[in-house]
Amino acid sequence: MLLLVAGIITLSRLPLLVLSADEGRDALLYQVDIFLPPKEGKNETADILDIQETVKDLSDIDVLFSFKELGNPRIILVLDVEKACSWPQLTGFLSSKGYEFNVTSLYYDSDFAQELGVNMTKDMLASSFGNRDLLMGKVTFPVKGLSTLEYNDMIKWTVERQVDIINNGQQLACFRTLAEYPVKWTFFLPVTQHRIDEYQEYFHGPRDYQLVVTRIENLDSYTGVCQGV
């Protein structure tokens, strides 16, 4: 895992735009992180493939993305849950297997961009990545020492840079955590060393974000076979 922490900024007075309770927004998108505890005699590969097949068959739950963290027994799902009553299909299955899991409400970064006055549409964001080397980034905009206007401008500047990256041909899927403060994003994209270096430079410097980057693979590509580097 590549861990990049570039200082801490906190904000004494959060802006109204950022503090909106997202009223009227259907919180249908969720990130589900599933952790398979190591147990003697357990077949990790079989468990992961069982999860993969189970989530594909869930009713009224659309799997937008499914990943596995490289080197760790952690599954990362991004789901569009069409009906709240569909949840027990997944939570019941995970609980019956004894898996630990966390659920985070999300919404598309393109929706957030529109609130900021930035022209980003959903069709600009990637909907699949295929069998490629990938990374997941988690960005936090900590809160201290900025005015309302400065905080909004910092976030808007970052969204505008995302649009530039997409327009330059980079596949990117990005979500904001719903009603979470300080503002947090999760993004997925193909990875190269050039791209890692670019993001290190991008998130360092005067913007002072907190960034944690994790290498992942598409769950559809997972075989459980150790691959040489």
Side-chain angles (χ1 to χ4, degrees):
M1 177 184 293
L2 175 65
L3 176 63
L4 309 173
V5 179
I8 298 178
I9 305 174
T10 43
L11 178 65
S12 58
R13 179 166 156 264
L14 291 177
L16 179 62
L17 172 64
V18 175
L19 266 182
S20 66
D22 301 301
E23 294 180 1
R25 183 183 302 281
D26 294 328
L28 298 178
L29 298 182
Y30 298 90
Q31 178 177 328
V32 182
D33 294 87
I34 306 167
F35 305 90
L36 282 63
K39 292 183 179 179
E40 186 176 355
K42 291 287 288 183
N43 186 328
E44 178 183 298
T45 298
D47 288 346
I48 291 174
L49 295 177
D50 186 29
I51 293 173
Q52 180 185 22
E53 292 304 313
T54 298
V55 297
K56 287 181 178 179
D57 294 333
L58 297 176
S59 300
D60 300 315
I61 296 180
D62 186 18
V63 182
L64 302 182
F65 296 103
S66 59
F67 305 109
K68 180 189 176 294
E69 180 180 346
L70 288 180
N72 288 305
R74 174 192 179 194
I75 304 301
I76 303 156
L77 306 175
V78 179
L79 306 176
D80 185 345
V81 180
E82 298 178 15
K83 298 179 181 178
C85 58
S86 300
W87 267 116
Q89 297 174 87
L90 179 60
T91 57
F93 165 75
L94 297 176
S95 297
S96 69
K97 294 290 187 176
Y99 302 146
E100 298 180 7
F101 59 94
N102 296 326
V103 179
T104 304
S105 297
L106 306 173
Y107 69 97
Y108 282 105
D109 199 38
S110 53
D111 294 335
F112 186 39
Q114 296 298 324
E115 296 176 11
L116 294 168
V118 179
N119 185 23
M120 177 193 289
T121 58
K122 190 181 298 184
D123 60 2
M124 295 173 64
L125 301 174
S127 59
S128 64
F129 295 104
N131 185 16
R132 305 180 65 182
D133 291 331
L134 304 170
L135 66 78
M136 174 180 71
K138 286 188 170 291
V139 183
T140 302
F141 297 84
V143 280
K144 181 182 178 181
L146 293 178
S147 69
T148 295
L149 180 60
E150 289 171 334
Y151 193 72
N152 280 335
D153 284 347
M154 177 179 66
I155 297 174
K156 183 176 181 180
W157 182 92
T158 307
V159 176
E160 289 172 341
R161 299 291 75 73
Q162 284 184 320
V163 173
D164 291 341
I165 289 172
I166 293 170
N167 287 337
N168 285 332
Q170 172 65 60
Q171 281 188 300
L172 174 70
C174 189
F175 303 88
R176 182 195 156 181
T177 301
L178 185 67
E180 179 101 9
Y181 307 103
V183 171
K184 297 181 180 180
W185 285 341
T186 299
F187 61 87
F188 307 101
L189 76 164
V191 60
T192 63
Q193 187 58 51
H194 169 73
R195 187 61 61 188
I196 291 176
D197 293 342
E198 183 179 78
Y199 270 80
Q200 285 181 346
E201 180 179 357
Y202 176 55
F203 286 107
H204 273 76
R207 292 169 291 281
D208 291 327
Y209 308 137
Q210 293 178 4
L211 171 65
V212 176
V213 177
T214 304
R215 291 292 301 272
I216 58 175
E217 61 182 319
N218 197 316
L219 192 58
D220 286 336
S221 304
Y222 178 74
T223 63
V225 178
C226 182
Q227 301 290 332
V229 178

